[in-house]
Amino acid sequence: MSAKYAVIRTMFELIWLSGLPGLLRRLSQSRGVIFTLHRVLPDTPADFSPNAILQVEPNFLEYVIERLRDLDIDIVSMDEALERLAAPEKGRPFVVLTFDDAYKDNLKYALPILRRQEAPFTLYVPTALVDGVGELWWQAIEDIISRQQAIAMTVDGETDYVDTRTTSQKQAAFDTLYWQMRKMPEDERIALLRKFAAAYGYDLDQQCRDLIMDWPELRHFAGESLCTIGAHTVHHYELAKLPLDQARNEISKSAEILHAQFGQRPAHFSYPLGGPLSAGPREFALARESGFSSAVTTRPGGLYKRHAQDPFALPRVSLNGYFQSRRYVDVFATGAIFSLMGKLTG
């Protein structure tokens, strides 16, 4: 775990020990929280697993649901969350459970828990990945680095061989390559990824089919009364890096494809990656113009009455795989804490 996350863990410990979460939930004007989840897996991550941040264990997910109810926090759909935000007065606190990317493990491990607990949730779907033709590039570079003793990396036109024998060397190589790709235009990132994958015999299309549900599997969710299907673009590109027309097409086409597949146009949208580098005012306006009722980011924070007036940049709180301590659930459920943290970190 990096120094950044060690600091956050210390903060969580101090906040929990102080009893502040309960006090803030009673006194703040935050009405609720949207949780971000991705993967639900029982496996213990390997020592080198930078994407373990995106996964929680099934037992932790079930505990989260049970603890929220013990705290008298309602678990509601995205539609109901919008209604509660628009209400004249603050009502009972609430949480919305959202899952991004349509991973297969959501079907195997998450859905049985959500059904057993009768917990509504939203699943945001990137349609090309369901077709089996997208790239889960963040996982691909982890997989490749994890298997290699050294890798070739090209930065600013210079190619160098980097040792990846130790966990720390692997992490350093991952960080370098990850941020190199994050800063590239999407077409350049795809070209670099495919060249990198080909050099090490990594099948990106097979990876996509292995990790993401196909349309028949996704129908289990579309027919589930607890589930709200939301759009998550076609190719899971960072929209802010795309030309305007392409960004608009990624948003609108994803809704059209889901409508064609399931007979209902999705009302809710999630920006891929969802931080300031990935989505901003232009993208928020595009989601509004595309006819959605809401759109969620990954910027941390709670939900307030003001969000009802412009629900196209809604904050979320990540149920982070690095913080699967039961006592932290009280912290996660307190939107005001994350709103304050968001202001302090810019």
Side-chain angles (χ1 to χ4, degrees), residues 194-266:
R194 291 207 165 268
K195 180 179 179 182
F196 185 64
Y200 295 100
Y202 188 89
D203 190 333
L204 289 165
D205 294 335
Q206 185 63 51
Q207 178 226 31
C208 187
R209 292 191 293 270
D210 288 345
L211 293 183
I212 302 298
M213 286 184 274
D214 58 24
W215 291 109
E217 289 170 319
L218 196 57
R219 291 188 188 282
H220 291 281
F221 289 85
E224 172 56 60
S225 60
L226 294 167
C227 180
T228 298
I229 295 286
H232 197 36
T233 72
V234 177
H235 294 97
H236 202 277
Y237 294 156
E238 293 184 77
L239 294 170
K241 292 160 56 173
L242 301 179
L244 176 62
D245 287 346
Q246 187 180 359
R248 180 184 288 115
N249 191 61
E250 281 285 324
I251 295 171
S252 60
K253 274 291 187 184
S254 64
E256 292 170 12
I257 292 167
L258 290 169
H259 189 185
Q261 286 286 340
F262 303 127
Q264 183 174 356
R265 191 182 191 281

Side-chain angles (χ1 to χ4, degrees), residues 33-36 75-86 94-100 120-124 226-230 267-270 293-297 303 311 314-316:
V33 173
I34 304 173
F35 283 159
T36 309
I75 301 171
V76 304
S77 68
M78 187 62 71
D79 287 331
E80 185 171 342
L82 294 179
E83 292 174 6
R84 292 193 182 200
L85 288 177
F94 64 88
V95 158
V96 184
L97 301 174
T98 68
F99 296 79
D100 284 8
F121 64 98
T122 297
L123 180 71
Y124 292 111
L226 294 167
C227 180
T228 298
I229 295 286
H268 307 285
F269 182 77
S270 171
S293 299
S294 78
V296 294
T297 70
L303 298 173
L314 296 177
R316 290 193 287 178

Side-chain angles (χ1 to χ4, degrees), residues 30-89:
S30 175
R31 296 189 173 195
V33 173
I34 304 173
F35 283 159
T36 309
L37 298 104
H38 289 83
R39 310 195 65 183
V40 179
L41 289 167
D43 310 318
T44 300
D47 289 342
F48 171 67
S49 298
N51 290 300
I53 192 173
L54 299 178
Q55 70 185 64
V56 298
E57 295 177 1
N59 289 341
F60 183 69
L61 173 61
E62 189 142 32
Y63 176 79
V64 167
I65 295 169
E66 293 171 348
R67 179 58 181 165
L68 291 173
R69 289 174 170 158
D70 288 344
L71 294 170
D72 290 325
I73 297 173
D74 297 334
I75 301 171
V76 304
S77 68
M78 187 62 71
D79 287 331
E80 185 171 342
L82 294 179
E83 292 174 6
R84 292 193 182 200
L85 288 177
E89 301 294 332

